[in-house]
Amino acid sequence: MSEQAFPHLFQPLKLRHKTLKHRLNFGAHTANMSVEGLPSERHLGYYRERARGGAAMIVIEPAPVHKAAVLTRGNFLAESDAVIPHFRRITDACHEHGTVMIHQMYHVGAHGDWDNSFDAAWSPSGLPSMHDSDGSHRMSEAQIAELVECFGQAARRDKEAGFDGSEIMAAYNALLEQFWSPYSNRRTDRYGGSFENRMRFSTEVLTRMRQLAGEDFILGMAISVDITRPDVLSVADQQEILAWHDARGLYDYVSCGTGSYFDFTKIIPPFVYEDKLGPPFAEALKQVAKHVRVQAESHIRTPENADYVIASGQADMVSIVRGQIADPHMANKAREGRAGDIRPCISCNQMCWGRRSRDYWISCLVNPSAGREFEWGGDTFAPAKKGKRLLVVGGGPAGLEAARVAAERGHQVTLAEASDKLGGQFRLAGMQPRRAQILDLLQWYEGQLEKLQVRVMLNTPMDAAEIQAFGADEVVIATGSSPAGTGFQRGMGEVESLPGVEGPNVYSVEEVMRREVRPGKRVLVLDDVGNWRGLGTAWQLADKGHEVTIVTPDAHLGRELVRTGADIPLRARLAKLGVKTITESVITNWHGDGATIRDLLSGSEQRLDFDTLVLATVNRADTEIADELRDSGSPFAAIGDCLAPRHAPAAIYEGRKLGLGL
Ligand SMILES: Cc1cc2nc3c(=O)[nH]c(=O)nc-3n(C[C@H](O)[C@H](O)[C@H](O)COP(=O)(O)O)c2cc1C
Ligand code: SF4
């Protein structure tokens, strides 16, 4: 039994008046799914699925406690009892699975978003936000009292909505932390100055919450540590603050994340960061905690890591957010000895934070049902009404997902792949530096297909006649895309093909990653896409000692990665490796031993010497087989890049959707 596999993680834990069935929780994150500020069907489906999947405690996404605290379009209504019956449906549904239900609340103080709150951001001392260009409003004592009451009322609302507790987000330099920190709290009244004065606001807030929510109610505090910034509270500061609140019995647990509004990228660490980023800080807090429980967060990722955190005494409980977005049944699978069946999160941030950062509701690259549970169902698929023989042509992410879902629903599936490996371009991406989590995902697919008895035929290119002769009931074409090879650039749309691209020493990213070619010492990467294809390859080449220069039409490298938070550490890494960047530019000519590069702003041109040109441009759809089938009148469905070359999320989404619809 798995309880022996993860013996420390799967121990119950007393938390105030409740006992968690084990220590693996689904921590707070803004799912951004409200409709007109009310918890939606999307929320209900999303959280119920994670409760069904075994999470011991779920922290529902934060409500802004006050009108000036509204931060996203999908936020819950602030200061309104209208949310109560809608939350009650969620807490009731999740309680049926024995899950302890907590609700986060926040006020991010100086870092508010005027476009969503339409109110000045309130803060202790009226300092500028470090997050954007806005200044903030210094709160009066009357406004402090108003906010204390707002926090109290939010807790009362949570209690009436059936929550077992509330959690305040002080983390990432939100309002409570702004009061705690001498860097952001410059007040000279009784809320600023001495340590005791700086603790007054949170003390009053928690006291009022307890008064209104009662004794049988858990109070938690989310905090974070960012050791990279001298103007953020240190670990020692956070220890002192925890000890103060603990000694006064003001809250029951603290959850410790990483990063801050000043260094956003570590809040939701992408794969460039190591595993278990948060636990060392949780451990430091646990050393001073006498009564409060300490939860570790941030890139814990797997039950193995979580068990280690508990076993080594770093924390009392663990939050895994993205891991359970990716696989809502992580807890049950780990508990039942099926850890190998857990669909791994690849720490890409593309569809979770990547959508939240653009103010959409969140989903997941590897689990497109996330956020769609209410219409697509959960992670256990309904059996097909009638079993069919299905042929999937192409074993990239679209084909893999279609084959897996169809087989799980009872169809008899054959997957034909032209090359000797499954994974397509996704496998090449997994070979870039620090991206091996993609290879783990492909291994998971291979394991699942084997269990589901999908017949996988490698080295099997198929033409239309062979597909027709196969005689499947349904045919899925997922043949992907290939490098266009034209050097077409967005910044120079009038030129169809880069002059000189047919000449020597020009390679595609794919050829480089497959090691089919040997780039010279001085490599010019044309990055027309602003994502990992070009930049991960540049990193790989620089790591191997090549002198790399990147040309991009964008104002900075990694334009498409900004939404994931991975662009900053990537640029830092490339800078350390000595990679040179030429921004807002295009290549007008490749000469075989160098390039003419045009600055898009000034129009000036320069000729520079290089040994090799690597093209990271938009691919061309491989439509040959689909076209043949269409011409011969054979029915089929096309998914993924062969429909239009895009990112992996589109491929897996289309594979899942097709598999569910068969
Ligand atoms: C889309 C998204 C939104 C988040 N929003 C919040 C939030 O509103 N409050 C909060 O305390 N943490 C938030 N987080 C941070 C998570 O609680 C967690 O610390 C982070 O995802 C790292 O943990 P993980 O590696 O287990 O995902 C968010 C995370 C994600 C992925
Ligand atoms: S989108 Fe990527 S990082 Fe986010 S949960 Fe899914 S796999 Fe993980």
Side-chain angles (χ1 to χ4, degrees):
M1 273 298 285
S2 63
E3 268 150 309
Q4 284 131 39
F6 305 110
H8 307 94
L9 187 61
F10 289 107
Q11 288 297 320
L13 180 72
K14 185 111 181 59
L15 186 59
R16 199 168 182 95
H17 64 302
K18 290 280 167 185
T19 301
L20 308 191
K21 55 190 174 187
H22 53 77
R23 290 144 188 258
L24 176 49
N25 299 333
F26 190 44
H29 55 289
T30 303
N32 214 25
M33 294 173 179
S34 298
V35 177
E36 301 291 325
L38 296 175
S40 62
E41 289 300 312
R42 206 181 287 284
H43 276 118
L44 176 63
Y46 178 74
Y47 290 116
R48 182 171 47 200
E49 187 64 11
R50 273 84 195 160
R52 202 162 73 87
M57 179 167 101
I58 289 179
V59 185
I60 291 214
E61 74 169 281
V65 294
H66 176 250
K67 61 187 172 58
V70 174
L71 199 60
T72 71
R73 195 173 39 177
N75 261 162
F76 300 123
L77 286 175
E79 304 181 71
S80 168
D81 282 7
V83 294
I84 294 174
H86 300 267
F87 276 133
R88 174 62 84 168
R89 292 177 65 216
I90 298 175
T91 53
D92 283 352
C94 294
H95 277 146
E96 273 179 31
H97 299 282
T99 313
V100 170
M101 295 301 293
I102 306 288
H103 187 199
Q104 198 182 60
M105 56 178 77
Y106 62 20
H107 192 309
V108 296
H111 309 302
D113 183 354
W114 188 88
D115 272 342
N116 274 308
S117 69
F118 297 103
D119 211 329
W122 291 13
S123 73
S125 300
L127 295 177
S129 168
M130 306 291 266
H131 186 56
D132 60 28
S133 56
D134 283 347
S136 63
H137 164 73
R138 180 188 184 278
M139 291 159 68
S140 66
E141 285 213 17
Q143 286 170 330
I144 290 178
E146 184 185 334
L147 270 197
V148 168
E149 188 58 20
C150 282
F151 274 100
Q153 290 298 334
R156 190 247 328 141
R157 239 171 256 131
D158 283 350
K159 174 88 175 181
E160 287 176 20
F163 285 104
D164 303 300
S166 299
E167 176 183 296
I168 302 177
M169 188 184 98
Y172 319 121
N173 195 242
L175 184 65
L176 261 67
E177 189 186 310
Q178 287 163 36
F179 269 90
W180 291 338
S181 167
Y183 306 109
S184 44
N185 183 347
R186 311 275 176 86
R187 299 179 74 97
T188 51
D189 60 6
R190 61 201 185 96
Y191 291 96
S194 68
F195 177 81
E196 284 71 15
N197 279 358
R198 284 183 281 116
M199 298 303 111
R200 193 178 310 282
F201 179 59
S202 54
T203 304
E204 289 179 358
V205 162
L206 288 158
T207 305
R208 187 64 181 144
M209 287 169 71
R210 175 68 66 216
Q211 278 168 359
L212 292 184
E215 287 303 311
D216 280 351
F217 196 71
I218 298 164
L219 291 181
M221 184 73 72
I223 63 163
S224 62
V225 174
D226 178 0
I227 51 169
T228 61
R229 297 278 308 201
D231 50 357
V232 168
L233 293 172
S234 67
V235 177
D237 293 332
Q238 293 283 16
Q239 284 177 315
E240 195 183 4
I241 292 167
L242 184 149
W244 162 277
H245 291 84
D246 193 10
R248 286 157 184 77
L250 287 165
Y251 50 49
D252 305 298
Y253 75 89
V254 159
S255 188
C256 181
T258 52
S260 69
Y261 259 93
F262 314 125
D263 181 6
F264 221 78
T265 168
K266 285 208 205 64
I267 297 181
I268 307 160
F271 52 80
V272 285
Y273 292 102
E274 66 270 23
D275 275 20
K276 295 187 269 144
L277 208 57
F281 306 122
E283 184 175 17
L285 296 175
K286 197 158 153 36
Q287 280 162 8
V288 299
K290 293 212 161 53
H291 308 288
V292 298
R293 304 295 194 189
V294 175
Q295 173 166 273
E297 302 174 34
S298 196
H299 223 201
I300 296 172
R301 291 187 57 228
T302 63
E304 287 83 355
N305 284 342
D307 195 63
Y308 173 86
V309 170
I310 304 293
S312 59
Q314 288 182 300
D316 301 302
M317 51 190 189
V318 156
S319 160
I320 296 184
V321 170
R322 287 169 296 170
Q324 292 182 87
I325 298 176
D327 191 331
H329 294 246
M330 171 188 272
N332 281 348
K333 287 178 182 174
R335 192 174 194 163
E336 291 160 10
R338 296 189 292 126
D341 284 337
I342 296 171
R343 181 195 302 109
C345 160
I346 58 170
S347 307
C348 65
N349 285 358
Q350 281 207 61
M351 296 296 279
C352 53
W353 182 247
R355 280 179 59 87
R356 156 64 189 85
S357 65
R358 288 175 291 156
D359 217 349
Y360 307 141
W361 50 268
I362 66 166
S363 190
C364 175
L365 186 154
V366 303
N367 177 23
S369 298
R372 294 188 174 90
E373 291 85 356
F374 76 105
E375 47 183 355
W376 284 13
D379 217 47
T380 323
F381 306 133
K385 288 202 180 77
K386 180 169 171 265
K388 293 178 182 167
R389 284 183 69 228
L390 179 73
L391 173 64
V392 179
V393 181
L400 285 171
E401 181 66 5
R404 184 188 75 84
V405 176
E408 201 168 314
R409 295 189 56 233
H411 297 296
Q412 191 188 325
V413 182
T414 301
L415 174 61
E417 161 59 34
S419 77
D420 62 348
K421 286 189 186 67
L422 293 174
Q425 289 176 54
F426 218 27
R427 185 172 291 280
L428 298 182
M431 289 155 67
Q432 291 182 338
R434 299 211 53 84
R435 300 191 79 189
Q437 288 178 35
I438 294 176
L439 302 181
D440 293 344
L441 176 69
L442 293 175
Q443 202 178 2
W444 176 83
Y445 269 114
E446 286 165 349
Q448 295 298 303
L449 294 192
E450 197 180 330
K451 275 191 187 169
L452 292 163
Q453 297 183 347
V454 172
R455 185 175 162 219
V456 176
M457 304 192 304
L458 297 174
N459 301 306
T460 311
M462 290 183 96
D463 60 20
E466 287 163 328
I467 292 169
Q468 283 158 345
F470 189 89
D473 300 321
E474 302 272 354
V475 172
V476 178
I477 301 299
T479 43
S481 64
S482 310
T486 59
F488 174 84
Q489 297 163 77
R490 288 176 294 134
M492 209 170 57
E494 72 282 9
V495 180
E496 219 171 292
S497 194
L498 168 66
V501 78
E502 307 290 350
N505 307 325
V506 184
Y507 307 129
S508 67
V509 159
E510 284 79 355
E511 286 171 310
V512 173
M513 290 310 302
R514 277 197 207 101
R515 299 189 188 187
E516 291 168 358
V517 293
R518 292 174 71 88
K521 178 79 179 162
R522 297 164 306 169
V523 180
L524 176 64
V525 175
L526 167 59
D527 182 18
D528 201 49
V529 285
N531 61 29
W532 284 102
R533 279 185 68 225
L535 299 176
T537 308
W539 181 352
Q540 169 101 340
L541 288 166
D543 248 354
K544 289 193 165 18
H546 296 270
E547 290 167 15
V548 179
T549 301
I550 304 172
V551 169
T552 170
D554 300 325
H556 64 78
L557 289 186
R559 183 179 64 106
E560 290 282 317
L561 300 177
V562 173
R563 67 179 73 153
T564 71
D567 60 313
I568 298 171
L570 173 66
R571 281 198 295 272
R573 185 73 208 149
L574 293 177
K576 279 196 189 108
L577 287 166
V579 172
K580 295 198 185 81
T581 307
I582 305 177
T583 55
E584 296 179 281
S585 297
V586 290
I587 302 176
T588 56
N589 265 285
W590 174 250
H591 308 286
D593 58 356
T596 303
I597 295 166
R598 179 188 297 156
D599 184 301
L600 288 170
L601 302 179
S602 67
S604 64
E605 294 194 348
Q606 57 176 331
R607 192 195 187 288
L608 296 173
D609 294 338
F610 298 100
D611 304 312
T612 303
L613 172 63
V614 175
L615 300 177
T617 55
V618 178
N619 271 6
R620 187 170 47 205
D622 284 337
T623 60
E624 199 182 327
I625 298 172
D627 292 342
E628 278 179 28
L629 286 172
R630 196 174 295 111
D631 290 346
S632 61
S634 277
F636 67 94
I639 54 172
D641 269 15
C642 72
L643 205 54
R646 288 153 296 166
H647 294 182
I652 296 185
Y653 166 87
E654 284 167 8
R656 172 86 50 107
K657 192 172 175 196
L658 183 127
L660 289 175
L662 285 171

